[in-house]
Amino acid sequence: MSHHSTTSDQQRQPRRPAAAADGSAPPVIAGLLLAAGGGRRLGGRPKALLTYRGRPLVENAVRVLREAGCGPLHVVLGASAAEVRERADLSGCVVTDNPDWAEGMGSSLRIGLASLAGTGAGAALVSLVDQPGIGPEAVARVRAAYRSPASLVAAAYDGERGHPVLFGADRWPDIVATATGDKGARVHLSAHADELTLVECGDIAEAFDIDTPPDLARLA
């Protein structure tokens, strides 16, 4: 094959994960979307069903993970889960319901990581449904920082840690043991701050949340 045709192949398939230097298969980086929030400050409108570009917000978040090369894709629902399943296209995803979603993000993270057991994934890249300013470019940048099942990576915005966060599979048991309330993985992240790789994404993404009625203007 000529050098020219090799370049053309790469251009046609820009998101195919690169194989390891020893020729082994590329790592499996699962996408884990936390989409259980009830939108308490939005008048109880579940965040997954907020309209973004004419479709439920949860569909955008799944698309972002998929386009960034993550897979398998697992989604944790909570508030109005049955309605979300009915109205949103989550084909190709493993969807799990969190009956304890009102306890906070920690319970959704525990359920999501448990759903990934046995998938063979080397890491879970965790994203939040209510951050539409974070697109596939930023997610792919965090994903590319994976090195081993012990990896711990987070996007940063002007040096401040944010989402998405990548947790190597070796870290899942400790995160499940320490993720409570609304803290999510913060206990684990704080305890292992010296092992955390920050990947600056402020040049390609905005890390705002859709939390309050004024924030809804960002979905236009």
Side-chain angles (χ1 to χ4, degrees), residues 34 98 100-110 175-187:
L34 305 184
N98 174 14
D100 302 317
W101 63 268
E103 293 179 6
M105 190 191 305
S107 61
S108 292
L109 183 58
R110 292 197 305 271
I175 294 169
V176 169
T178 58
T180 58
D182 263 330
K183 291 178 180 164
R186 286 204 291 268
V187 172

Side-chain angles (χ1 to χ4, degrees), residues 36 75-85 90 94-101 107-108 111-112 115:
V75 180
V76 180
L77 301 179
S80 304
E83 186 182 359
V84 176
R85 286 172 179 270
L90 299 177
V94 175
V95 182
T96 307
D97 291 353
N98 174 14
D100 302 317
W101 63 268
S107 61
S108 292
I111 283 177
S115 77

Side-chain angles (χ1 to χ4, degrees), residues 77-192:
L77 301 179
S80 304
E83 186 182 359
V84 176
R85 286 172 179 270
E86 183 179 318
R87 291 178 49 192
D89 179 5
L90 299 177
S91 55
C93 300
V94 175
V95 182
T96 307
D97 291 353
N98 174 14
D100 302 317
W101 63 268
E103 293 179 6
M105 190 191 305
S107 61
S108 292
L109 183 58
R110 292 197 305 271
I111 283 177
L113 290 177
S115 77
L116 286 169
T119 61
L125 193 147
V126 180
S127 68
L128 307 181
V129 74
D130 66 343
Q131 294 189 319
I134 300 175
E137 296 81 9
V139 177
R141 194 177 281 185
V142 172
R143 184 189 177 285
Y146 172 85
R147 295 293 178 268
S148 77
S151 288
L152 185 63
V153 185
Y157 301 88
D158 297 326
E160 295 293 318
R161 189 186 81 225
H163 283 86
V165 182
L166 182 147
F167 300 111
D170 289 354
R171 298 182 177 275
W172 297 355
D174 185 64
I175 294 169
V176 169
T178 58
T180 58
D182 263 330
K183 291 178 180 164
R186 286 204 291 268
V187 172
H188 185 88
L189 287 164
S190 297
H192 300 275

Side-chain angles (χ1 to χ4, degrees), residues 34-48 50-51 57 101 104-105 128-133 163 182 186 206-219:
L34 305 184
R40 180 173 49 84
R41 286 179 286 174
L42 292 167
R45 300 166 63 187
K47 291 186 176 183
L50 294 173
T51 300
L57 189 57
W101 63 268
M105 190 191 305
L128 307 181
V129 74
D130 66 343
Q131 294 189 319
H163 283 86
D182 263 330
R186 286 204 291 268
E206 293 183 273
F208 59 83
D209 302 322
I210 306 297
D211 281 333
T212 63
D215 296 334
L216 295 174
R218 291 180 175 269
L219 293 176

